[in-house]
């Protein structure tokens, strides 16, 4: 469901005006993925009972959200939204809320930030009615989805936040405008408990790759009370294999995404194996860890089709994720120094078993589309660490083809501070098409061969319209050393606009002691990410 603003009225207690924020990512169930914009009283109540009877509510899945399609076409004489009596014969609203609360659940509700609800030309939304709708939502003790594809600025969402804040209920506010616009990670966390970072998910594997590449930069804003919304879980809907469903659930969990079940909470529709995945207590514990630290993309091996992810957990622990994007199985080796570990006690999360001490290099065979999760404890730091051995930017480059230097100057309307533009240099190189490249003379010391490079890049090519096809939220760039074969890397979204950079660490072979030529270029005919610069590292022993 394309949702721009989601606010859940989480507490029925009358309190002073405040927006409620859960300390860990919210968990629950949403009607849209299976029932689309056709909810009904029976659908909502039967799935609510399913959450309880299947034990999902006890695991934390306690929010029940009625998505689009619940309202009548006309407001009443006082301008209040009305429930469709054919779909909700008991009246919806507070009656439905009381039913859910009696089950020990929280009541969520959708509305739109435009004049009409998502995909509708006649169902009213909340634009211009923020105050009166906020009062209705508070009276009904219900959450609200609020969306509009045109709403790329924070203004509409901030206005609804103010309206909700003026009621006498504690209200959890879930924002969603598909991640479009700019600087979502700056303006949304102060007012929203969660915020959608992408276009809608759909029931195919490539949707997981697309959304994963968009969540990467939100580690900057993820914290207690503010979490990325990677959209609803598609576990149990039938489009993914069981291994892919576990991968999907794992990736959402380590990135501290809201965990909203999209399949029916009914055994006569959804396979029991799906509920086994959704009920994995150890994966849930990673998502609900009280530190609320989002995992980071530590290494990407694009041509080999696998990633390393790592995130901080409470009690001095770490989650280590190895993500196999390849269709087939492969054996991978993880240099634990990449996550600042020399040895640690490891627990295989999906196998639910302790595997003992791992050290130096961890080797594992990954099935096709498997994500292996380890929780590391008793962590010992490595005796060596990468040490900077030189930074290279446009001042050191030779540009070819259509490659060009761009001075970074963000528009005055941006909410971001100018000192963050194209960090750390303040300028960038665009590499827009075939034949474009940036070459650098790089001095390298022993040992020869593979070097660690931190690439400071900018990519804000959001897959909005292309989300339904093969849009991936990546731009590809190749790196070649000393005339060797160019190697390709897929760079994810870097930040909130075309001026906010991020760093991707890559391992590049072909270096020799002394002078080296390093060439960054396009892959095929498509534009590469903008290049701010790169830092080369040597590994030195720590005394």
């Amino acid at each position: 469901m394309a949702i721009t603003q989601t606010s859940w009225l989480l507490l029925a207690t009358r309190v002073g005006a405040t927006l409620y924020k859960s300390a860990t990512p919210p968990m629950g169930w949403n009607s849209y993925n299976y029932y689309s914009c056709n909810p009904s009283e029976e659908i909502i109540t039967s799935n609510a009972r399913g959450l309880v009877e299947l034990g999902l509510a006890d695991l934390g899945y306690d929010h029940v959200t009625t998505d689009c399609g619940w309202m009548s076409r006309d407001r009443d004489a006082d301008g209040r939204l009305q429930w469709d009596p054919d779909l909700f014969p008991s009246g919806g609203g507070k009656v439905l809320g009381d039913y859910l609360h009696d089950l020990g659940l929280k009541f969520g509700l959708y509305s739109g930030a435009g004049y009409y609800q998502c995909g509708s030309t006649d169902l009213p939304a909340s634009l211009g009615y923020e105050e009166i709708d906020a009062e209705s939502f508070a009276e009904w003790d219900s959450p609200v989805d609020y969306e509009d594809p045109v709403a790329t600025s924070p203004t509409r969402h901030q206005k609804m936040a103010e309206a909700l804040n003026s009621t006498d209920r504690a209200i959890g506010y879930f924002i969603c405008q598909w991640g479009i616009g700019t600087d979502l990670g700056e303006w949304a966390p102060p007012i929203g408990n969660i915020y959608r970072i992408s276009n809608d998910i759909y029931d195919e594997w490539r949707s997981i790759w697309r959304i994963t590449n968009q969540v990467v930069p939100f580690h900057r804003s993820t914290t207690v009370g503010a979490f990325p919304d990677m959209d609803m879980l598609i576990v149990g809907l039938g489009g993914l294999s069981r291994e892919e469903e576990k991968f999907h659930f794992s990736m959402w969990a380590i990135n501290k995404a809201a965990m909203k079940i999209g399949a029916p909470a009914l055994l006569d529709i959804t396979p029991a194996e799906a509920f086994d995945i959704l009920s994995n207590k150890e994966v849930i514990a990673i998502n609900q860890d009280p530190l609320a630290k989002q995992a980071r993309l530590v290494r990407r091996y694009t041509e080999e089709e696998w990633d390393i992810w790592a995130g901080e957990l409470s009690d001095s622990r770490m989650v280590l994720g190895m993500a196999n994007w390849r269709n087939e199985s492969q054996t991978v080796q993880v240099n634990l120094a990449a996550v600042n570990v020399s040895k640690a006690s490891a627990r295989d999360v999906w196998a639910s078993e302790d595997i003992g001490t791992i050290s130096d290099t961890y080797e594992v065979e990954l099935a096709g589309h498997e994500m292996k999760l380890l929780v590391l404890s008793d962590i010992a730091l490595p005796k060596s660490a990468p040490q900077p051995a030189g930074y290279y930017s446009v001042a050191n480059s030779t540009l070819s083809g259509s490659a060009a230097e761009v001075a970074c100057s963000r528009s005055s309307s941006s909410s971001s501070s100018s000192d963050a533009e194209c960090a750390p240099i303040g300028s960038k190189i665009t590499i827009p098409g075939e034949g474009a490249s940036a070459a650098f003379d790089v001095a390298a010391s022993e040992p020869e061969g593979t070097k660690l490079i931190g690439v400071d890049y900018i990519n804000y090519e959001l897959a909005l319209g292309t989300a339904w096809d093969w849009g991936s939220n990546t731009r590809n760039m190749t790196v070649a050393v000393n005339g060797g074969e160019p190697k390709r890397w897929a760079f994810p979204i870097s930040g909130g606009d075309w001026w906010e950079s991020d760093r991707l660490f890559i391992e590049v072979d072909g270096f020799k002691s002394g002078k080296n030529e390093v060439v960054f270029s396009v892959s095929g005919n498509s534009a590469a990410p903008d290049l701010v610069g790169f830092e080369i590292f040597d590994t030195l022993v720590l005394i």
Side-chain angles (χ1 to χ4, degrees):
M1 175 72 218
I3 297 171
T4 300
Q5 205 162 328
T6 309
S7 56
W8 289 17
L9 312 186
L10 300 177
L11 300 178
T13 307
R14 293 186 178 275
V15 297
T18 184
L19 289 174
Y20 172 81
K21 291 190 172 190
S22 61
T24 57
M27 300 172 63
W29 178 88
N30 184 292
S31 64
Y32 179 77
N33 271 3
Y34 188 81
Y35 300 101
S36 190
C37 290
N38 302 293
S40 69
E41 185 173 312
E42 172 58 26
I43 287 171
I44 302 304
T45 56
S46 63
N47 278 277
R49 292 193 300 272
L51 290 179
V52 175
E53 293 165 2
L54 291 168
L56 294 166
D58 289 337
L59 294 173
Y61 296 101
D62 59 359
H63 298 71
V64 177
T65 300
T66 304
D67 212 291
C68 55
W70 59 267
M71 69 289 295
S72 295
R73 288 178 172 81
D74 298 312
R75 292 174 177 268
D76 68 10
D78 295 322
R80 294 166 58 93
L81 289 168
Q82 300 297 295
W83 288 75
D84 187 325
D86 294 327
L87 297 175
F88 294 87
S90 296
K94 192 173 187 306
V95 175
L96 181 58
D98 287 345
Y99 180 87
L100 297 175
H101 295 150
D102 287 344
L103 291 174
L105 303 172
K106 301 179 177 73
F107 179 21
L109 191 62
Y110 159 97
S111 186
Y115 294 110
Y116 298 105
Q117 303 288 357
C118 178
S120 172
T121 59
D122 57 0
L123 294 180
S126 294
L127 184 61
Y129 290 86
E130 288 86 355
E131 289 79 10
I132 193 170
D133 287 355
E135 289 296 336
S136 294
F137 304 148
E139 179 183 327
W140 299 336
D141 296 335
S142 61
V144 184
D145 272 349
Y146 201 61
E147 55 100 337
D148 175 40
V150 182
T152 60
S153 76
T155 305
R156 296 187 187 184
H157 313 287
Q158 291 167 337
K159 184 174 182 179
M160 178 56 86
E162 292 170 0
L164 294 170
N165 219 14
S166 68
T167 70
D168 61 356
R169 303 283 183 176
I171 297 174
Y173 187 38
F174 293 4
I175 295 170
C176 177
Q177 41 72 278
W178 304 333
I180 56 178
T182 58
D183 303 324
L184 174 65
E186 296 183 23
W187 64 260
I191 58 176
N193 196 179
I194 66 172
Y195 35 92
R196 269 282 296 280
I197 58 91
S198 72
N199 203 340
D200 293 2
I201 197 169
Y202 53 89
D203 199 18
E204 293 187 33
W205 170 247
R206 65 178 182 265
S207 178
I208 307 304
W209 168 248
R210 168 177 58 86
I211 295 173
T212 296
N213 284 310
Q214 197 159 354
V215 78
V216 171
F218 287 93
H219 66 85
R220 300 182 179 106
S221 54
T222 298
T223 187
V224 173
F227 304 100
D229 181 359
M230 298 170 73
D231 206 3
M232 289 163 271
L233 296 163
I234 55 175
V235 175
L237 291 178
L240 304 183
S241 69
R242 288 291 169 259
E243 199 66 70
E244 290 168 347
E245 289 185 334
K246 290 163 62 179
F247 184 116
H248 165 39
F249 194 58
S250 298
M251 188 63 78
W252 266 232
I254 67 171
N255 280 288
K256 301 300 185 286
M259 303 294 255
K260 300 174 291 181
I261 298 171
L266 304 169
L267 277 173
D268 58 345
I269 299 177
T270 302
E273 294 85 356
F275 293 121
D276 290 340
I277 293 171
L278 294 166
S279 299
N280 189 296
K281 293 181 180 179
E282 295 190 45
V283 180
I284 292 172
I286 292 171
N287 177 257
Q288 298 289 299
D289 187 83
L291 281 188
K293 297 281 190 180
Q294 181 179 333
R296 301 287 301 276
L297 174 59
V298 176
R299 295 285 191 279
R300 170 156 285 178
Y301 304 93
T302 301
E303 293 187 353
E304 296 83 358
E305 300 182 77
W306 69 288
D307 292 340
I308 301 174
W309 294 73
E312 185 180 356
L313 299 176
S314 57
D315 299 322
S316 301
R317 297 172 302 137
M318 173 188 296
V319 59
L320 175 63
M322 291 138 283
N324 183 18
W325 296 104
R326 182 174 289 179
N327 295 335
E328 300 81 24
S329 63
Q330 64 173 315
T331 299
V332 302
Q333 292 184 330
V334 178
N335 182 349
L336 294 176
V339 294
N340 201 32
V341 172
S342 65
K343 67 176 181 178
S345 300
R347 181 170 177 81
D348 186 324
V349 173
W350 282 106
S352 299
E353 65 178 8
D354 297 322
I355 60 174
T357 299
I358 61 174
S359 60
D360 300 326
T361 299
Y362 174 69
E363 182 174 291
V364 64
E365 183 177 0
L366 300 175
H369 295 174
E370 177 185 2
M371 187 167 193
K372 174 77 73 175
L373 290 182
L374 301 181
V375 170
L376 307 184
S377 58
D378 302 320
I379 295 171
L381 300 179
K383 296 181 179 179
S384 63
Q387 299 297 312
Y391 193 92
Y392 300 84
S393 65
V394 65
N396 315 106
S397 68
T398 300
L399 306 183
S400 300
S402 55
E405 178 182 2
V406 174
C408 296
S409 179
R410 206 186 296 249
S411 69
S412 59
S413 62
S414 171
S415 63
S416 298
S417 59
S418 59
D419 60 1
E421 294 175 7
C422 301
I425 298 302
S427 62
K428 61 182 180 178
I429 301 168
T430 58
I431 308 175
E434 187 174 8
S437 66
F440 301 83
D441 289 333
V442 174
S445 60
E446 298 284 355
E448 297 185 339
T450 299
K451 296 289 186 182
L452 178 65
I453 294 179
V455 181
D456 294 325
Y457 72 97
I458 299 175
N459 172 32
Y460 198 61
E461 188 163 308
L462 301 180
L464 187 64
T466 60
W468 315 112
D469 297 312
W470 293 96
S472 66
N473 290 310
T474 65
R475 279 193 172 188
N476 289 275
M477 184 160 59
T478 65
V479 183
V481 179
N482 295 324
E485 186 70 21
K487 191 166 185 177
R488 178 177 64 90
W489 277 270
F491 288 78
I493 298 299
S494 60
D497 55 26
W498 277 105
W499 311 110
E500 188 172 10
S501 63
D502 202 357
R503 174 169 285 195
L504 181 66
F505 285 98
I506 63 176
E507 296 169 7
V508 184
D509 198 9
F511 283 92
K512 62 184 181 180
S513 180
K515 183 179 178 181
N516 297 265
E517 183 186 51
V518 180
V519 179
F520 291 78
S521 186
V522 297
S523 176
N525 298 323
S526 300
D530 295 344
L531 177 63
V532 175
F534 65 96
E535 192 165 26
I536 190 168
F537 291 84
D538 288 330
T539 299
L540 302 179
V541 175
L542 299 179
I543 304 301

